[in-house]
Every structure is written in structure tokens, then in C-alpha cells.
Amino acid sequence: MENIRLEKAENKWIQSLQELLSNSKIRNLTLFDCELNGLTNDNFWISCSHLKNLKIQQTSKIHRVNQLYRFDLLSKIRNITIERIELNNQEIDQFCQKDNLRNLRSISFLSSLINVDINPIFLNIPNLLSLNLSNCRSNSNIDFGLFSNLTYLNLSNFSTGTGQKLDIESIKKLKNLVHLDISLSNLRLDLFSIHYMNQLRTLLAIGNQSWNLHNQNNSNSSLVFPPHISRVDFSHSQKFFKFNPTLSNSIQSISLINCEMNQFNIDNICPFLSYLYISNNNLTQLPLDLGEKCPNLLELECNKNKISVIPDSIGNMKRLRKLSLQQCSISEITNSIGNCCSLIELNLRANSIKTIPISLGDITSLSIFDLAYNQISKLENKIFIKLTNLNKFLIEGNKKLKSIPKILLKKYKKKELILSFYDVPNLQYLANIDFENENENGKCLIF
């Protein structure tokens, strides 16, 4: 056994745990809301000598971490997480000066630092590679020169009193950073400076509105993602993407949900792009050559836009598993969709679609098909003959629909299919098949 989680434990449990730890080599220990007395015992922490990962979660009982947890007795510790335990400047200094912690590789202070100076962490723990300061606040600017060894930095919902700027000079000091998360923080990022982060692969800035969009060379140019970036997420950053971003051909995942984009073009072939999320924008069309530029896309979500046409090039996406175009203005499904031979989930809810192309029946992998609240008047039986993997079909709200294919009704009766056609007032008598009215799992029959 290498993992133990102790939750709301009383002293008697902690004493038993001490015996267990003394006779085993526990590597990972999580303490959640445990009683204090047992944790002040040096013998308990001496018995934890094999620990590499320690996670302490507490809400109200602990006020002085350094007095309760003998980190200096943990000889092999490499990763520490402290969550919801408020620490002051003095405690941070004491924590960082413990000799055995100088070899720490990862520290997480989740919702634990309130208006403290975090710079001592780097001055005293030189081998630190990963730092998580989610939901923390600093009362002073960060000296990014001390972050030069970090490969992972999470500053989500982090704030400084000054709204510090991540300018070019600061970015250059983060020379080894691979993952940066500044979601919902007040750090101001000079977006054009990310080209200087040569090792960066993941940049998350969800809901961050503190952008510097000025490009000293050309103030009208669009942002060009550097070639080393593989994942970006700028969702809910409405202040940012009012111009067209240019994707690099190495990009693997991009999320630009609710960014008030008016256009989205792909200038380069992106052979590695697998995940594209661009819902809740002001887009009037998808790139006509989307399927040619992104042939290996696995998921495409473009809900709540003003798109009227599904481009024919969608048929080039042989690996596409999920396509979601809910609540757009689509009136027709392109015949080429039948070439999406790997499609598992198709969501076309709340559009203006009147007919389903016969070619859709060739997508034998299709499992979930949401066609609710469209203008479908007829469903061809032969479309569904090959759809042997279909287990959920939503057709409710199509007020012009008058009949359901027999093959679907038989699968429904055998409980092989979740079939929902609620709110279809014109539905006529259905093939002399007896049904029971059901409401569970979304199944229902209304005549």
C-alpha cells in the first residue's frame, strides 16, 4: 500500500496510522480536516520518513501550519499541497527555511496565501519546478527572475495589489516554463510577448480581461500563436479576440468560447489540431476549407453562433468523433457528413433543419444524435438501418414530424434506444406497437 487518505480522523485514528506508517513505506498521504493533537507528535512525522507526496486540506481548525506539521522530519518529501489554510508572511518564511524542503520539486498553496510576499519561496527552495498559487493574493510584485527554473506555474484567480504586468522582460525570465495558467487573474499579459517563451506548450487565460494587445511593430496585425504552443484557452475573454487569431501548424487544442469573435479563419494547415471549441461568438460562417486545413480534428464545438452552412469540407474529417452545432442558423445538413466515418456524437439541436441526408446513414459509429427543435417533417427508415450503434436519439420539438421509423420504435421497445420525441403535436399512430408511457432516462411517448 502506497496511498492513504485520512478524513476527519480523531486522535485514535492518527495513532493507528502512526503504527501503519512505521511498518510500511507509504508514499502518498492526504490529511483532510483531522484533529490537531495527534499531528503535533514528532513520532508521527518521523514515521512518515518515506513520504514523497503530502496533501493537507483543512478549512477552519488549523491556524499555524508550522507548529503542527514537522516538515523538517520528512527526509524524502518532494511534493507538498496545502489547501485552505491561511498562512502569513512569517509562516511562509519559516516554511521555506526548513532544510529538508530545499529539495522540493512541487508546492501548491491553494486558497492559502492572503496578501503575503511569495518571493521567499524561490529564494530558499532553489530546485522548485512546479508552483500552484490558485486563489491566492500577494501584497507585492512578483520577481519573475526567481521563477527561471519553473516548468509549471498556476496563477489562476491570483491577484497582486498592483495588477502586475507580464511584459516582455518578465516573460524572458520564464525561460523553462512549459505550462502557464493565468485564468481569472489580474496579471496583465502582453500577448505578443509569448513568442519569447520558447518552451511554453500550454497557455490558459480563461476569463482574463487584462490584456495588452499593442504590437510595437504593427498595431493592426492579428495575434500569431508561436509555433511551439500546442494548447491555448482564452475562453470568456471578451476583451481580447475582436480580431482574427492566426493558428500555428503545431496547435493541438484551442478554446475561444465566448470571446466576441466576428470571424475565425485558419490560414495554415494544422495537422495536429484535435480539439476546437469556438462556441458563443458572433461567427457567421466556418472556414470553407476547415476540413482540409484540420483533417485530424476529433472534436468541434461551435454552438450558439450565426452559422447557416456546414461546409462541405467537413467530410474530410475522417477522425471526427464529436460535432456540436447547437443553436446556430443551419437549415441544411451537407451530404458530405456521411464521410465522417468516426463520428460518435452529433448535436444539431435548435436549428432550422428540414431534412436529413441519406448519407448520414453511413455513419455506422454514431451513438448520440440530437436533432431536437428543428423543422423535420419526415424521417426516412433507410437512414437508420445501418445506425446499429445508435443508443440515443432526440427528436422532440419538431412540430411538423408526423411519424417515427419502425426500426427506431422497435429498438425503443427493446430498450436498446433512448428515444425522446416529447412536444411533437402532429405525431400520428405508430405502427401498431404497444408502448408504456415512460419518463425515466428522457424516454417518453406523447400522442
Side-chain angles (χ1 to χ4, degrees):
M1 183 168 59
E2 292 190 353
N3 306 301
I4 288 183
R5 175 182 171 87
L6 210 61
E7 184 171 339
K8 296 183 181 297
E10 299 175 357
N11 286 329
K12 60 181 180 180
W13 288 104
I14 293 177
Q15 293 171 2
S16 300
L17 176 62
Q18 179 180 324
E19 296 178 4
L20 176 62
L21 289 168
S22 300
N23 295 286
S24 62
K25 295 183 179 180
I26 302 299
R27 298 290 187 271
N28 310 303
L29 175 62
T30 298
L31 301 173
F32 178 80
D33 201 14
C34 296
E35 275 196 14
L36 305 183
N37 294 338
L39 298 180
T40 60
N41 186 347
D42 283 1
N43 290 330
F44 173 81
W45 293 103
I46 292 173
S47 67
C48 299
S49 59
H50 295 285
L51 274 186
K52 288 189 175 181
N53 306 299
L54 174 63
K55 188 172 185 178
I56 305 167
Q57 297 175 297
Q58 197 50 271
T59 53
S60 59
K61 291 183 179 180
I62 294 180
H63 301 285
R64 292 292 174 264
V65 164
N66 290 299
Q67 296 174 12
L68 299 172
Y69 299 100
R70 295 300 306 272
F71 297 115
D72 50 325
L73 299 176
L74 303 177
S75 58
K76 296 184 179 180
I77 195 73
R78 290 295 179 268
N79 308 299
I80 290 180
T81 296
I82 298 175
E83 184 173 355
R84 298 192 302 275
I85 304 174
E86 187 172 331
L87 304 178
N88 56 35
N89 279 318
Q90 182 180 2
E91 288 177 312
I92 286 293
D93 289 338
Q94 293 174 354
F95 174 87
C96 296
Q97 290 174 13
K98 295 183 184 295
D99 289 339
N100 284 347
L101 299 187
R102 293 184 64 81
N103 291 318
L104 274 178
R105 296 295 186 270
S106 173
I107 299 178
S108 296
F109 292 111
L110 309 179
S111 304
S112 296
L113 306 184
I114 308 298
N115 293 327
V116 299
D117 183 4
I118 67 171
N119 293 319
I121 297 174
F122 301 95
L123 290 170
N124 294 289
I125 308 178
N127 295 314
L128 198 63
L129 299 177
S130 173
L131 178 66
N132 189 337
L133 296 175
S134 180
N135 292 297
C136 294
R137 296 200 303 268
S138 176
N139 58 7
S140 61
N141 280 344
I142 300 172
D143 182 357
F144 286 103
L146 302 173
F147 285 58
S148 59
N149 289 331
L150 283 184
T151 60
Y152 177 96
L153 178 59
N154 187 338
L155 296 172
S156 59
N157 206 24
F158 177 86
S159 63
T160 64
T162 59
Q164 188 174 359
K165 181 180 178 181
L166 269 167
D167 56 13
I168 291 177
E169 293 306 314
S170 297
I171 290 293
K172 286 181 177 179
K173 296 174 182 177
L174 301 173
K175 58 184 179 180
N176 292 312
L177 207 59
V178 175
H179 179 108
L180 174 61
D181 188 346
I182 56 169
S183 301
L184 296 171
S185 77
N186 74 339
L187 289 169
R188 294 179 293 126
L189 177 64
D190 183 341
L191 282 173
F192 294 99
S193 68
I194 61 178
H195 287 266
Y196 294 91
M197 304 178 76
N198 296 325
Q199 302 299 319
L200 192 66
R201 298 294 181 269
T202 300
L203 176 58
L204 308 180
I206 303 167
N208 193 315
Q209 307 297 340
S210 302
W211 305 107
N212 177 16
L213 302 180
H214 179 63
N215 185 343
Q216 293 179 350
N217 297 323
N218 184 356
S219 59
N220 294 319
S221 66
S222 65
L223 173 68
V224 179
F225 287 111
H228 50 272
I229 294 283
S230 60
R231 180 192 174 198
V232 293
D233 192 337
F234 291 128
S235 296
H236 308 289
S237 299
Q238 295 90 342
K239 191 176 179 181
F240 173 40
F241 275 105
K242 293 194 176 182
F243 54 87
N244 183 41
T246 300
L247 306 184
S248 64
N249 57 13
S250 65
I251 198 80
Q252 297 178 17
S253 174
I254 184 166
S255 182
L256 303 172
I257 299 171
N258 193 24
C259 289
E260 296 187 358
M261 286 192 303
N262 296 318
Q263 59 176 331
F264 180 77
N265 299 319
I266 297 182
D267 298 327
N268 304 315
I269 294 178
C270 300
F272 302 107
L273 186 61
S274 299
Y275 304 95
L276 176 59
Y277 307 110
I278 48 177
S279 297
N280 293 75
N281 283 292
N282 299 317
L283 303 177
T284 56
Q285 67 176 12
L286 286 170
L288 297 179
D289 57 356
L290 180 63
E292 297 162 358
K293 295 290 182 63
C294 307
N296 295 313
L297 208 61
L298 298 178
E299 294 186 8
L300 170 59
E301 291 187 7
C302 188
N303 304 320
K304 295 184 180 180
N305 278 287
K306 302 174 183 178
I307 296 167
S308 58
V309 176
I310 302 174
D312 290 338
S313 67
I314 201 85
N316 292 330
M317 297 181 180
K318 307 295 184 182
R319 301 182 62 198
L320 191 66
R321 297 184 306 203
K322 180 179 180 180
L323 174 61
S324 186
L325 295 167
Q326 176 178 323
Q327 202 171 330
C328 292
S329 301
I330 297 170
S331 58
E332 185 178 356
I333 306 175
T334 176
N335 285 321
S336 69
I337 199 169
N339 296 324
C340 298
C341 54
S342 300
L343 199 61
I344 296 174
E345 182 176 346
L346 177 59
N347 184 352
L348 297 171
R349 173 181 285 255
N351 283 287
S352 302
I353 299 169
K354 297 180 180 179
T355 60
I356 305 175
I358 300 298
S359 64
L360 195 141
D362 295 329
I363 311 176
T364 57
S365 58
L366 193 63
S367 175
I368 301 172
F369 187 13
D370 190 343
L371 200 60
Y373 296 96
N374 277 279
Q375 298 179 20
I376 301 294
S377 58
K378 186 178 182 180
L379 295 171
E380 296 286 350
N381 195 71
K382 57 184 176 182
I383 293 176
F384 298 93
I385 292 176
K386 296 181 183 179
L387 301 184
T388 55
N389 290 306
L390 189 66
N391 59 38
K392 187 174 184 180
F393 183 43
L394 309 179
I395 196 69
E396 70 261 22
N398 282 271
K399 298 183 181 299
K400 297 181 180 180
L401 186 65
K402 296 182 179 180
S403 64
I404 301 291
K406 294 180 181 179
I407 188 172
L408 295 180
L409 296 175
K410 289 179 181 179
K411 289 187 68 175
Y412 171 82
K413 183 174 177 60
K414 294 178 182 179
K415 297 186 178 180
E416 296 174 352
L417 176 70
I418 295 175
L419 178 61
S420 177
F421 41 96
Y422 174 78
D423 191 22
V424 187
N426 294 320
L427 205 59
Q428 298 176 353
Y429 182 67
L430 303 178
N432 293 320
I433 298 178
D434 294 327
F435 292 93
E436 296 179 0
N437 288 320
E438 299 187 40
N439 289 317
E440 69 175 22
N441 297 326
K443 297 184 288 188
C444 53
L445 288 175
I446 292 192
F447 301 94

